[in-house]
Amino acid sequence: MGENVVILSRDCHALRPERLAGFRKVEVRVNGARIVANVLISDGLEALGPGEIGLPQPALRRLGVKPGDHAHVSIAPPAASLDAVRAKIRGEELTKEEIRAVVEDLAAHRYSDIEVAAFLIATSSFMTTSEVLALTSSMAAAGAQLKWNRPIIVDKHCIGGIPGNRTTMIVTPIVAAHGLTMPKTSSRAITSPSGTADTMEVLSRVELTEDEILDVVERCNGCIAWGGHINLSPADDVLISIERPLSIDTPEQMVASILSKKIAAGSTNLLIDIPMGPTAKIRSNIHAQSIRKLFEFVSSRLGLFTEVIITDGAQPVGFGVGPALEARDVLAVLDGRPDAPADLREKSILLAGRLLEHDPLLAGGRGEQRARELLESGEARKTFDRIIDAQGPPPRAAPIGSLVFEAVAPRDGVVSQIDCFRIARIARTAGAPYDPGAGIDLQKKSGDMVRKGEPLYRIHGLDHSDFAAACEAAGEDSGFRVSSAGR
Amino acid sequence: MGENVVILSRDCHALRPERLAGFRKVEVRVNGARIVANVLISDGLEALGPGEIGLPQPALRRLGVKPGDHAHVSIAPPAASLDAVRAKIRGEELTKEEIRAVVEDLAAHRYSDIEVAAFLIATSSFMTTSEVLALTSSMAAAGAQLKWNRPIIVDKHCIGGIPGNRTTMIVTPIVAAHGLTMPKTSSRAITSPSGTADTMEVLSRVELTEDEILDVVERCNGCIAWGGHINLSPADDVLISIERPLSIDTPEQMVASILSKKIAAGSTNLLIDIPMGPTAKIRSNIHAQSIRKLFEFVSSRLGLFTEVIITDGAQPVGFGVGPALEARDVLAVLDGRPDAPADLREKSILLAGRLLEHDPLLAGGRGEQRARELLESGEARKTFDRIIDAQGPPPRAAPIGSLVFEAVAPRDGVVSQIDCFRIARIARTAGAPYDPGAGIDLQKKSGDMVRKGEPLYRIHGLDHSDFAAACEAAGEDSGFRVSSAGR
């Protein structure tokens, strides 16, 4: 994440530090590889000689540095495509070629953070559909491409914002059990309490290489892996690294981000889940529909069959929020346990059913019923076990946190609202996803009757200071609204 | 310049590094002071224990750290005014209060670089005049304010872009010799080969404290000091630190930047010099006039009497480009030497004359004649010497570089154009301003007849590799256009 940094000694003689004022960026070349980096001038590091440079771990990895390698440092020329960014700032429409040049420079890490921010803000004020199209296809092309020798590759993607909601881990085994191919690569949490990759990692290894992904999918029809090791749409990762801290998320950027990754991953049939609700990312139907149209427009032009489904995003899905608690819910659904969260089960069946409709061998309209059969028969669970087996055991045990606090109802009444954003924040404060066992376990959902003092949810934690901070946050605002029964 | 950084050990126990993903910024408090900083996680610094942090020199200075001080590090809350930035990104007009909140957070370094970039790009697409007004007054108010017990404080400012053009060092002593007060604080070069502070430093100390500035002005009616030690409009410094690497420079931001600094400096009467020319910052009369109007509008509302003058920016002013070469030109003009550059002398007289018109004791229209008298009589030179004497001797000798290369005319003809940007770039490549003796010494100006092989300019350098790079750059494109005499 973020920008590369190189540390130079104040008395560096390869590149006089005083020459850098106003330039700020240098190019570091080691063997064939190169990165653009910001410079830190070091005064106090005895370890760093005038002929040496310091690089952080991610930069060492990116450059593939071996001990004893020589590094060449020079002032980086500004990326040529920045002229297009300035044109966009002035309000011009960019050509396909200009956008491709920007994307290639982004993917090659030639932009500094502020240059990335400039591109994002300039494009967020307006972008034509042609520009979104060009951005998506350029992003998909700039990086690795997965190739599959199967005619239909299905995928699903949720635009996020709803805690719990771990449908991917149920949908994938249902779809794979049916015989369709679903090579799911997921992200880790960035600002949420868990990403699918974090939750899956409670049960299985997820950091697979491209070859391992191909092998797991060959054996199981599907995988649930972290996407970070396969360089799909690297420009997207660069843009996201700046979008997130700025909390900007326009429809255009969202569409380009999601579709570029899916196209690079070789998907042919995609289901997009847009949860809508008062505390979700998308809060109105008009907003949801305009995003839907943009997804459909860009997908159709790029040869990807995309269906967009707008789902209930009024509250968290399932009970658990945080990797280990969510994994527990997923297993409960796959095991058909009576205490499994019904909303997670039904939403997973709905989504899986839509994907199964893409099987030409299945009669139209049979998808949802087939999905339910595969879940209830235990076939999905068996496929999930095969996937886990193929991916390997989890890197570490992740028991649910033993520090427990109960947030209770302040009065008798009915749960009238659950703030998705607040619940996510508290779960994250408790330590999720870095402590996979930390998080929130919902005891009540919207519409449930509660008695004063009855638990609304439990906070689980492992680290005492994080746990205390989460309890304090829940005390300030639990995220639950309980209305008096009479109102 | 740029963002603060704090280095934490990978096994830091005050703040677990893995908690920082997605947050990126921390607040570092030492005694009463605090800064917002980005985090670097260190693996390899044996010097850095788990209970220690590393801070670069500028951060140590900003915090006023003394040995043994305890530092408190916590995740920084996002600046509240970022909501206003997001509103601006969405295209809304900001209120005075919102703009003030943004400026205060900028001045307190609560924004990360990318957040500053977001504000700049969002405001560069459109800004109402009310917003420019609010931005200017908020910026002027957020920082130090110089107070003078004299009724008229004159100042001049050039929007830049023209190499040479060191009129300030001639105008100030003329105006001060006359008896008006001109406490000039100047900047160092950021992307140019020299700022006024750099050129003045060849002859005198310029890094004065606020008290020293007050004292010099009390004794001499004027000073020519570096503005960096007095915290005038600190938000402007933050904005500039991001504008420059992004090469964005809108009229609105330029006006707010310049006027906020002048208001904070206590100026009452200001002369703005806008050089216009084919390779200048301002290239058309319509553009110059719209900036003029904006300067006048904002100044009038904020009680600053501002006159805008549009000058010839077709080519560099003077012969020398680079601190030592420019200082030589300045002294030649002040000494009334026959080989002094006439354009620098006449432009300085013009500007000084306009400022002298603000003296109520001088008959209207007498300014320019009076300025010429003060220059030709040697009074200005004597005042300049008094200012140098009061400011103190230069920190180091800055002889003109002894490495010399002549760029020559490729054919017989007439110099039809000199590219200001190119000349600045070559001078900077030669080492200016970091080597004050490096730069370019023009032998010909626009309109001059030349013979093939006759020198157009000399490059001076001190560092062999910089000098070689400058000579190479001049070989690729000298910046001079020589047209055949017949055409």
Side-chain angles (χ1 to χ4, degrees):
Chain A
M1 284 304 150
E3 227 158 337
N4 291 311
V5 172
V6 57
I7 305 178
L8 301 184
S9 165
R10 172 77 62 196
D11 44 337
C12 172
H13 41 57
L15 188 68
R16 291 188 297 156
E18 66 269 27
R19 292 297 309 279
L20 289 163
F23 286 94
R24 303 166 38 106
K25 279 174 297 169
V26 297
E27 189 173 78
V28 182
R29 277 175 290 159
V30 177
N31 304 325
R34 57 180 175 182
I35 58 168
V36 171
N38 278 339
V39 174
L40 271 183
I41 305 300
S42 155
D43 289 299
L45 303 178
E46 295 80 5
L48 200 67
E52 296 179 319
I53 63 172
L55 287 169
Q57 284 291 346
L60 292 174
R61 270 199 304 276
R62 197 172 286 167
L63 286 165
V65 174
K66 295 179 299 297
D69 276 352
H70 280 268
H72 185 91
V73 181
S74 54
I75 290 173
S81 66
L82 286 170
D83 284 340
V85 174
R86 282 184 282 267
K88 190 73 202 159
I89 292 171
R90 287 192 304 269
E92 296 172 25
E93 178 174 0
L94 301 186
T95 65
K96 225 157 67 169
E97 290 68 33
E98 287 173 323
I99 288 177
R100 188 172 57 220
V102 170
V103 167
E104 283 170 2
D105 282 339
L106 285 171
H109 297 273
R110 291 192 198 105
Y111 276 29
S112 69
D113 275 358
I114 59 169
E115 289 162 350
V116 176
F119 176 70
L120 280 171
I121 306 298
T123 51
S124 75
S125 53
F126 90 93
M127 222 178 169
T128 65
T129 45
S130 305
E131 286 181 317
V132 181
L133 192 59
L135 183 62
T136 308
S137 63
S138 299
M139 284 168 68
Q145 318 274 321
L146 296 187
K147 303 284 181 212
W148 307 96
N149 52 3
R150 302 177 179 212
I152 298 178
I153 302 295
V154 300
D155 205 342
K156 72 162 276 288
H157 190 94
C158 176
I159 66 160
I162 307 297
N165 198 27
R166 211 47 70 203
T167 57
T168 292
M169 289 168 65
I170 302 164
V171 170
T172 304
I174 292 175
V175 169
H178 175 75
L180 282 183
T181 308
M182 185 162 173
K184 188 81 187 85
T185 56
S186 300
S187 55
R188 292 188 181 281
I190 300 177
T191 57
S192 74
S194 186
T196 293
D198 298 309
T199 299
M200 186 67 184
E201 200 173 39
V202 172
L203 305 174
S204 155
R205 183 168 156 255
V206 295
E207 299 205 350
L208 308 186
T209 64
E210 185 176 328
D211 283 347
E212 288 172 326
I213 287 175
L214 296 174
D215 178 60
V216 172
V217 173
E218 186 59 38
R219 287 155 62 190
C220 311
N221 290 336
C223 68
I224 305 167
W226 179 56
H229 275 334
I230 47 176
N231 194 33
L232 301 176
S233 189
D236 182 46
D237 299 336
V238 171
L239 291 175
I240 284 179
S241 73
I242 303 299
E243 271 169 22
R244 296 295 163 103
L246 287 177
S247 303
I248 53 166
D249 200 359
T250 66
E252 291 77 10
Q253 283 155 1
M254 183 192 290
V255 166
S257 164
I258 293 170
L259 294 184
S260 69
K261 279 253 196 289
K262 298 306 176 189
I263 292 167
S267 303
T268 61
N269 296 60
L270 174 64
L271 180 64
I272 299 280
D273 170 17
I274 301 184
M276 190 179 82
T279 58
K281 276 191 186 175
I282 304 299
R283 302 182 176 196
S284 73
N285 193 49
I286 194 166
H287 191 182
Q289 292 301 337
S290 82
I291 292 184
R292 196 199 106 199
K293 296 292 172 84
L294 194 58
F295 268 116
E296 290 170 351
F297 169 81
V298 176
S299 295
S300 69
R301 296 303 183 92
L302 298 177
L304 175 64
F305 186 94
T306 293
E307 185 184 6
V308 178
I309 180 170
I310 295 165
T311 58
D312 178 8
Q315 60 173 336
V317 172
F319 300 131
V321 175
L325 289 158
E326 292 171 8
R328 177 206 63 190
D329 283 357
V330 164
L331 290 179
V333 170
L334 286 170
D335 284 337
R337 283 178 34 190
D339 59 347
D343 57 349
L344 179 62
R345 182 183 65 233
E346 292 305 314
K347 183 170 178 181
S348 300
I349 289 170
L350 173 74
L351 299 176
R354 293 293 185 102
L355 287 174
L356 293 188
E357 296 288 341
H358 293 294
D359 179 4
L361 301 180
L362 196 69
R366 278 267 297 142
E368 192 165 328
Q369 191 189 327
R370 174 72 176 144
R372 193 177 299 277
E373 286 164 11
L374 289 164
L375 183 63
E376 289 178 356
S377 67
E379 283 303 312
R381 170 72 212 222
K382 278 185 211 156
T383 301
F384 189 62
D385 285 342
R386 275 203 299 278
I387 291 172
I388 288 177
D389 201 51
Q391 294 190 178
R396 66 196 70 82
I400 292 168
S402 57
L403 301 171
V404 181
F405 169 84
E406 287 193 338
V408 299
R411 66 180 67 83
D412 291 358
V414 61
V415 176
S416 58
Q417 197 181 340
I418 303 179
D419 184 332
C420 289
F421 184 78
R422 185 76 195 162
I423 293 296
R425 180 67 161 277
I426 295 168
R428 197 170 163 103
T429 304
Y434 307 107
D435 286 331
I440 282 182
D441 197 11
L442 300 173
Q443 306 298 309
K444 300 289 176 189
K445 302 290 288 268
S446 284
D448 285 354
M449 301 291 297
V450 290
R451 311 289 301 183
K452 179 176 178 180
E454 213 181 350
L456 300 171
Y457 57 81
R458 295 198 185 96
I459 298 174
H460 288 269
L462 290 98
D463 177 272
H464 282 275
S465 76
D466 290 345
F467 177 71
C471 297
E472 193 185 340
E476 282 167 18
D477 174 1
S478 71
F480 270 60
R481 195 180 302 163
V482 176
S483 303
S484 303
R487 290 167 65 197
Chain B
M1 285 305 152
E3 227 159 337
N4 291 311
V5 172
V6 57
I7 305 178
L8 301 184
S9 166
R10 172 76 62 196
D11 46 335
C12 173
H13 43 55
L15 187 68
R16 291 188 298 156
E18 66 268 28
R19 292 297 308 280
L20 289 164
F23 285 95
R24 299 167 41 105
K25 280 174 298 169
V26 298
E27 190 174 77
V28 181
R29 277 175 290 159
V30 177
N31 304 325
R34 57 181 173 180
I35 58 167
V36 171
N38 277 338
V39 174
L40 271 184
I41 306 299
S42 155
D43 289 298
L45 303 179
E46 295 79 7
L48 200 66
E52 296 180 318
I53 63 172
L55 286 170
Q57 285 290 347
L60 292 174
R61 271 199 303 275
R62 197 174 286 167
L63 286 165
V65 174
K66 294 180 299 297
D69 277 351
H70 280 268
H72 184 92
V73 181
S74 54
I75 290 173
S81 66
L82 286 170
D83 283 340
V85 174
R86 280 184 284 267
K88 191 73 202 160
I89 292 171
R90 287 192 303 270
E92 296 173 24
E93 178 174 359
L94 301 186
T95 65
K96 224 156 70 169
E97 290 69 31
E98 287 173 321
I99 288 177
R100 188 172 56 220
V102 169
V103 168
E104 284 170 1
D105 281 340
L106 285 172
H109 296 273
R110 291 192 197 104
Y111 276 29
S112 69
D113 275 358
I114 60 170
E115 288 162 351
V116 175
F119 175 71
L120 280 171
I121 306 296
T123 51
S124 75
S125 53
F126 90 93
M127 222 177 168
T128 65
T129 46
S130 305
E131 286 181 317
V132 180
L133 191 61
L135 182 63
T136 308
S137 63
S138 300
M139 284 168 69
Q145 318 275 321
L146 296 186
K147 304 282 181 214
W148 307 96
N149 52 4
R150 302 177 178 210
I152 298 177
I153 303 295
V154 300
D155 205 342
K156 74 161 275 287
H157 190 93
C158 175
I159 66 161
I162 307 297
N165 199 26
R166 211 47 70 206
T167 57
T168 293
M169 289 168 64
I170 301 164
V171 171
T172 305
I174 292 175
V175 169
H178 175 76
L180 281 183
T181 307
M182 185 161 173
K184 190 80 187 81
T185 57
S186 300
S187 55
R188 291 188 183 281
I190 300 177
T191 55
S192 74
S194 186
T196 293
D198 298 310
T199 300
M200 186 67 184
E201 200 173 39
V202 172
L203 305 173
S204 155
R205 181 169 158 255
V206 296
E207 299 205 351
L208 307 186
T209 64
E210 184 177 328
D211 283 347
E212 288 172 327
I213 287 175
L214 296 174
D215 178 60
V216 172
V217 173
E218 186 59 37
R219 288 154 61 190
C220 310
N221 289 336
C223 68
I224 304 167
W226 179 55
H229 275 335
I230 46 175
N231 195 33
L232 300 176
S233 189
D236 182 46
D237 298 336
V238 171
L239 291 175
I240 285 179
S241 73
I242 303 299
E243 271 169 23
R244 295 296 164 104
L246 287 178
S247 304
I248 53 167
D249 199 0
T250 67
E252 292 78 10
Q253 283 155 2
M254 183 193 290
V255 167
S257 164
I258 292 171
L259 294 184
S260 68
K261 279 254 195 288
K262 299 305 175 190
I263 292 167
S267 303
T268 61
N269 297 58
L270 175 64
L271 180 63
I272 299 280
D273 170 17
I274 301 184
M276 190 178 82
T279 59
K281 277 190 184 174
I282 304 298
R283 301 180 177 198
S284 73
N285 193 49
I286 194 165
H287 191 182
Q289 293 300 337
S290 82
I291 293 184
R292 195 199 105 198
K293 296 291 172 84
L294 193 59
F295 269 117
E296 291 171 351
F297 169 81
V298 175
S299 295
S300 69
R301 297 300 183 94
L302 297 177
L304 175 64
F305 186 93
T306 294
E307 184 184 8
V308 178
I309 179 169
I310 295 166
T311 59
D312 178 7
Q315 60 173 335
V317 172
F319 301 131
V321 175
L325 289 158
E326 293 170 7
R328 178 207 62 191
D329 282 357
V330 164
L331 291 179
V333 170
L334 285 170
D335 284 338
R337 284 178 33 191
D339 59 348
D343 56 350
L344 179 64
R345 181 184 64 231
E346 292 305 316
K347 183 170 178 181
S348 301
I349 289 170
L350 173 74
L351 298 176
R354 294 292 185 102
L355 287 174
L356 293 187
E357 295 287 341
H358 294 295
D359 179 4
L361 302 179
L362 196 69
R366 276 268 297 142
E368 193 166 327
Q369 190 189 330
R370 173 73 176 144
R372 193 177 300 276
E373 287 165 10
L374 288 164
L375 183 63
E376 290 179 354
S377 68
E379 283 302 312
R381 170 73 213 222
K382 278 186 211 153
T383 302
F384 189 63
D385 286 342
R386 275 203 300 277
I387 290 172
I388 288 178
D389 201 52
Q391 294 190 179
R396 65 197 71 82
I400 292 168
S402 56
L403 302 171
V404 180
F405 169 85
E406 288 192 338
V408 299
R411 66 180 67 84
D412 291 358
V414 61
V415 176
S416 57
Q417 196 181 342
I418 303 179
D419 183 332
C420 289
F421 184 79
R422 185 76 196 162
I423 293 296
R425 179 70 160 277
I426 295 169
R428 197 171 163 102
T429 304
Y434 307 107
D435 285 333
I440 283 181
D441 198 12
L442 299 173
Q443 305 298 308
K444 300 289 177 188
K445 303 289 288 270
S446 284
D448 284 354
M449 301 290 298
V450 290
R451 309 290 300 183
K452 180 176 177 178
E454 213 182 349
L456 300 170
Y457 57 82
R458 294 198 186 97
I459 298 174
H460 288 268
L462 290 99
D463 177 272
H464 282 273
S465 75
D466 290 345
F467 176 71
C471 296
E472 193 185 343
E476 283 167 17
D477 174 1
S478 71
F480 269 60
R481 195 181 300 164
V482 176
S483 304
S484 303
R487 290 168 63 195

